């Protein structure tokens, strides 16, 4: 079963990060796959002018959480 990855605080409703989920599905939790999943967390994002900083925060958060889960 693929992991469910959802983020709140970046949109009016929590968002499921399906691209990140797909990047991890069926693959070992290596640094490379985690980094790819983290980068994909922001794919398709269209931040407002004052909220663009959240993209970098989300990428880092997904990477940090996935690395902790993998260990």
């Amino acid at each position: 079963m693929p992991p469910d990855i959802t983020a709140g605080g970046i949109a009016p409703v929590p968002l499921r990060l399906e691209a990140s989920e797909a990047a991890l599905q069926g693959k070992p939790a290596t640094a490379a796959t985690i980094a790819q999943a983290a980068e994909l967390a922001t794919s398709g994002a269209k931040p407002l002018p004052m909220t663009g900083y959240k993209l970098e925060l989300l990428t880092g958060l997904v990477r940090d959480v996935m690395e902790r889960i993998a260990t």
Side-chain angles (χ1 to χ4, degrees):
M1 176 174 255
D4 288 343
I5 304 172
T6 305
I10 58 170
V13 297
L15 294 178
R16 188 164 176 191
L17 306 177
E18 295 179 18
S20 296
E21 293 174 1
L24 295 169
Q25 187 171 356
K27 297 177 184 167
T30 64
T33 57
I34 290 171
Q36 180 186 20
E39 288 298 322
L40 289 171
T42 59
S43 64
K46 296 175 185 151
L48 298 172
M50 295 175 46
T51 61
Y53 70 95
K54 290 184 179 184
L55 299 180
E56 187 175 333
L57 293 175
L58 179 60
T59 299
L61 179 63
V62 170
R63 184 182 315 106
D64 291 348
V65 169
M66 296 310 297
E67 286 174 350
R68 288 181 187 192
I69 291 170
T71 56

